[in-house]
Amino acid sequence: MNRRQITQRQLETFATVARLGSFSRAAETLHLTQPAVSIQVKQLSETIGLPLFEQIGRDIRLTAAGEELQATVRALDDEWARFDSAIGALWGMHSGRLRVALVTTAKYFLPRMLGAFCRRYPHIDVQLEITNRAGVVARMRGNEDDLYIMSLPPTDMDIVVRPFLDNPLVVIAPLGHPAADRRCTLDELAGESFLLREPGSGSRAAIDRHLQKLEKALQVRLTVASNEAIRDLVSSGLGLSILSRHSLAANPADDGICILDVEHFPIQQPWSIVHLKGKVLSLPAQAFMSELVQAAGIN
Ligand code: PGA
């Protein structure tokens, strides 16, 4: 294989197709035509001497050679980020890149903190991804970002976890619910229907784990992949729910809901900043992490 024939452009195109699992979406993202994308991937695969993708039905999947190349592109990317940050250090945070992936429920407070960071360092290129816990864990496995914000870090990965903020999960009901002004037990809510987040959500995983520990079960009527939709459905009287306090207004009554005082609640599950243990953190990533920890008052 003649490595010199491989261009940066081909690698970028390959990585985009691999990430999006589609030639047409990669073409859209890269502002290229689909044939241009296919030609670049074809040339790359000819240089390597093996196919990089295979067609399974209507999907495309990486071949073993494709997976090797994807890992190499990511490692190269990390090296460039390290170089970037070394240069950034020489410039004094006047350049560089910060990639953060957060779980959906962290979007209520994290962007504000990130906004302050962006204003302080206007030359840092910040990329933010928001998805549910399962999506964040998948990105972590692929080493796609510098930092991850979540409340239930995976236990089977070599990672560094720094808790930085409380994340109480509270029981909510429509305004005027009969249990609104008193303390109640979970058993008293046994007849109620619950609307919960989807499997794959960190909030849902924390709720399931908590109930299992208490040996209790809820009547789950609906599974919804959106905190906002759940909040609105609860306020319209469809049932109760358990959501992060961060996903509710400062005054929940403004949204037509109230927080119930239920025994064994709220579930306490702090937010953590997580990164892969072997990851060389760029200067912006280090700076953002210490700002976050400081802003939350934990050292
Ligand atoms: P979620 O994440 O938005 O996936 O529920 C919250 C969490 O990780 O606790």
Side-chain angles (χ1 to χ4, degrees), residues 27-135:
E28 238 171 69
T29 306
L30 295 168
H31 305 294
L32 293 173
T33 62
Q34 188 167 336
V37 169
S38 304
I39 288 169
Q40 285 190 39
V41 172
K42 187 162 171 277
Q43 286 169 343
L44 188 55
S45 128
E46 279 168 5
T47 309
I48 291 167
L50 286 170
L52 300 170
F53 294 101
E54 59 191 349
Q55 186 92 31
I56 311 274
R58 293 182 59 207
D59 295 334
I60 56 156
R61 268 226 294 265
L62 285 168
T63 58
E67 276 177 13
E68 284 296 332
L69 183 62
Q70 189 183 40
T72 305
V73 171
R74 281 177 178 156
L76 285 173
D77 218 35
D78 266 0
E79 275 307 306
W80 275 112
R82 208 173 54 81
F83 172 73
D84 237 24
S85 105
I87 296 297
L90 299 175
W91 276 80
M93 290 285 284
H94 285 303
S95 75
R97 188 188 57 186
L98 170 64
R99 289 174 305 188
V100 186
L102 39 126
V103 290
T104 16
T105 304
K107 73 179 177 203
Y108 305 104
F109 62 92
L110 207 277
R112 256 198 310 275
M113 293 169 143
L114 198 58
F117 181 84
C118 291
R119 277 195 296 280
R120 196 163 14 265
Y121 303 112
H123 303 294
I124 304 289
D125 167 26
V126 178
Q127 292 169 23
L128 187 64
E129 277 294 330
I130 303 180
T131 174
N132 73 7
R133 177 182 181 272

Side-chain angles (χ1 to χ4, degrees), residues 103-105 132-133 150-152 167 197 200-203 271:
V103 290
T104 16
T105 304
N132 73 7
R133 177 182 181 272
M150 64 198 317
S151 76
L152 208 60
N167 176 27
R197 283 284 305 275
S201 139
S203 313
W271 292 113

Side-chain angles (χ1 to χ4, degrees), residues 116-179:
F117 181 84
C118 291
R119 277 195 296 280
R120 196 163 14 265
Y121 303 112
H123 303 294
I124 304 289
D125 167 26
V126 178
Q127 292 169 23
L128 187 64
E129 277 294 330
I130 303 180
T131 174
N132 73 7
R133 177 182 181 272
V136 168
V137 172
R139 292 185 68 85
M140 202 185 288
R141 286 195 201 285
N143 185 19
E144 290 189 45
D145 311 276
D146 301 306
L147 300 173
Y148 304 88
I149 311 291
M150 64 198 317
S151 76
L152 208 60
T155 49
D156 61 343
M157 289 180 72
D158 219 4
I159 50 178
V160 178
V161 177
R162 292 196 69 174
F164 70 98
L165 191 67
D166 286 343
N167 176 27
L169 293 166
V170 295
V171 181
I172 59 167
L175 218 50
H177 187 275

